[in-house]
Amino acid sequence: MQATDPTDHSVPSGAAFLLAQVGAHAARRFAERVADLGVAPSDVGVLRMILMSPGRSQQSLAEELGVVPSRVVTLLDGLQDKGLVERRRNPADRRNYALYLTEEGTRMMSAVRDLGATHEDDLLAALDPSERARLATMLKAVAAQQGLTPGVHPGYRRP
């Protein structure tokens, strides 16, 4: 591997560029990996949020994602069609649905968890465990300072 000259400004080397470069690469690789399971990254995010709060409403999901409720309805329709999510009438408010993973949805999330561990190991193979921990700590600080919602990918806000 050829060393880069720090005075050579023809190759972007700033932290913001490198975050964008690695982030785009990581997102693309993750999308390729979950596609083998028959889901998209946006599906995985929604499934994870339902797994973490079973019985939550579609409205609360839309609010946490920062999207209009119709976007959530579309995402949930696709997940329901795949047999991963079920909507149940909320007994406390029959106008709302409570969201739950099906057995297949739970199995899917187990597979995604395994896939995610492999993905992270492949992506961060150049770092030892203490470097990985420091990187995660620093990235959490940057995300918090930027006002990003923990655990929610900002890509949901795109139409």
Side-chain angles (χ1 to χ4, degrees):
M1 179 180 213
Q2 186 178 9
T4 57
D5 176 358
T7 62
D8 179 4
H9 298 289
S10 64
V11 177
S13 60
F17 171 80
L18 292 170
L19 277 171
Q21 182 185 40
V22 172
H25 170 74
R28 182 181 50 77
R29 288 291 298 128
F30 184 74
E32 291 168 357
R33 288 178 165 157
V34 297
D36 291 341
L37 298 175
V39 292
S42 57
D43 296 334
V44 171
V46 170
L47 291 169
R48 184 186 55 75
M49 293 173 83
I50 296 169
L51 177 67
M52 300 305 292
S53 296
R56 72 181 308 153
S57 70
Q58 293 179 172
Q59 182 65 36
S60 75
L61 189 59
E63 288 170 9
E64 191 170 347
L65 291 173
V67 298
V68 296
S70 61
R71 171 102 164 99
V72 169
V73 169
T74 301
L75 288 166
L76 291 171
D77 286 347
L79 292 171
Q80 191 169 17
D81 290 346
K82 292 177 183 178
L84 302 174
V85 169
E86 67 176 311
R87 294 170 166 118
R88 299 180 199 160
R89 286 282 180 201
N90 184 334
D93 184 351
R94 304 269 307 148
R95 295 170 298 168
N96 291 316
Y97 287 105
L99 304 172
Y100 296 90
L101 295 186
T102 62
E103 286 184 34
E104 183 58 30
T106 301
R107 281 192 292 274
M108 173 67 72
M109 289 309 293
S110 179
V112 168
R113 190 173 19 260
D114 293 343
L115 181 145
T118 299
H119 178 65
E120 184 160 321
D121 285 344
D122 289 349
L123 190 65
L124 301 178
L127 304 178
D128 68 37
S130 67
E131 290 170 325
R132 289 181 186 199
R134 283 196 320 268
L135 177 62
T137 298
M138 289 186 285
L139 291 173
K140 285 177 188 174
V142 171
Q145 185 275 326
Q146 291 295 311
L148 301 177
T149 304
V152 177
H153 192 287
Y156 285 101
R157 293 198 166 105
R158 285 188 232 126

